[in-house]
Amino acid sequence: MKISVSWGDFFLGCAVLTGIWYLVVGAKYYYQSIKDRLFKNPFKTIKSGTTEIDRPGVQQASLFQQPESLDRQDAKERAINTIVHEFVNELNALIALSATDQSSKDKLLPALRKLLSKYSSLANSPLRQDILNLIQMETGKHCHIHFSADELAQLW
């Protein structure tokens, strides 16, 4: 007995089997989540972390706000990230210019010193060593100028 199946029937069968597969997986792993969404009980107590909220519509301020110290720390990190991003952009531009001019080490050192003095707030940051490593790596790669660790430490 020979059965002929068209491409349309084949793809329809694949779609049906895929749908059944996702239903089985969803029922197995997400049963509780699906049940909670389908049968919401507005009077049910919701647990959030270690605090309970009796009414879902009412938010407690202490639950949904971060302490001020964390906000300040995040603001500092964002500010440092912005400064580092600007520094890296200027460093890349300086290195690209030095590479096209084929500048010597003696010409590049004052330019790097001037750039680093512009970003003096990074001198005491925890990213200082990473910045120096970046300068060493990028100047070596693009300008073929190799700085020692002492030379780079003196730039600050």
Side-chain angles (χ1 to χ4, degrees), residues 3-62:
I3 299 174
S4 78
V5 177
S6 68
W7 282 109
D9 292 338
F10 172 76
F11 288 122
L12 179 65
C14 287
V16 168
L17 288 176
T18 302
I20 292 171
W21 171 256
Y22 278 105
L23 284 174
V24 169
V25 169
K28 183 174 181 179
Y29 293 106
Y30 299 104
Y31 175 75
Q32 190 62 38
S33 175
I34 293 170
K35 183 179 165 188
D36 289 343
R37 287 181 188 236
L38 290 177
F39 305 108
K40 285 185 181 177
N41 185 355
F43 302 107
K44 182 179 176 182
T45 300
I46 298 175
K47 291 184 179 182
S48 175
T50 57
T51 308
E52 291 186 2
I53 304 171
D54 291 330
R55 289 175 281 158
V58 178
Q59 297 178 355
Q60 294 179 357
S62 63

Side-chain angles (χ1 to χ4, degrees), residues 36-116:
D36 289 343
R37 287 181 188 236
L38 290 177
F39 305 108
K40 285 185 181 177
N41 185 355
F43 302 107
K44 182 179 176 182
T45 300
I46 298 175
K47 291 184 179 182
S48 175
T50 57
T51 308
E52 291 186 2
I53 304 171
D54 291 330
R55 289 175 281 158
V58 178
Q59 297 178 355
Q60 294 179 357
S62 63
L63 257 179
F64 298 100
Q65 292 179 355
Q66 293 182 347
E68 278 187 38
S69 62
L70 290 178
D71 288 340
R72 280 189 230 131
Q73 186 178 9
D74 288 343
K76 284 182 182 178
E77 287 177 7
R78 283 193 300 269
I80 288 175
N81 286 341
T82 302
I83 292 169
V84 168
H85 184 69
E86 291 172 4
F87 169 76
V88 169
N89 285 340
E90 287 191 41
L91 176 67
N92 287 336
L94 175 66
I95 290 173
L97 182 64
S98 296
T100 56
D101 293 345
Q102 296 178 349
S103 296
S104 66
K105 194 176 197 178
D106 296 332
K107 289 182 181 179
L108 188 57
L109 272 173
L112 285 172
R113 189 172 288 118
K114 184 177 179 182
L115 178 64
L116 287 171

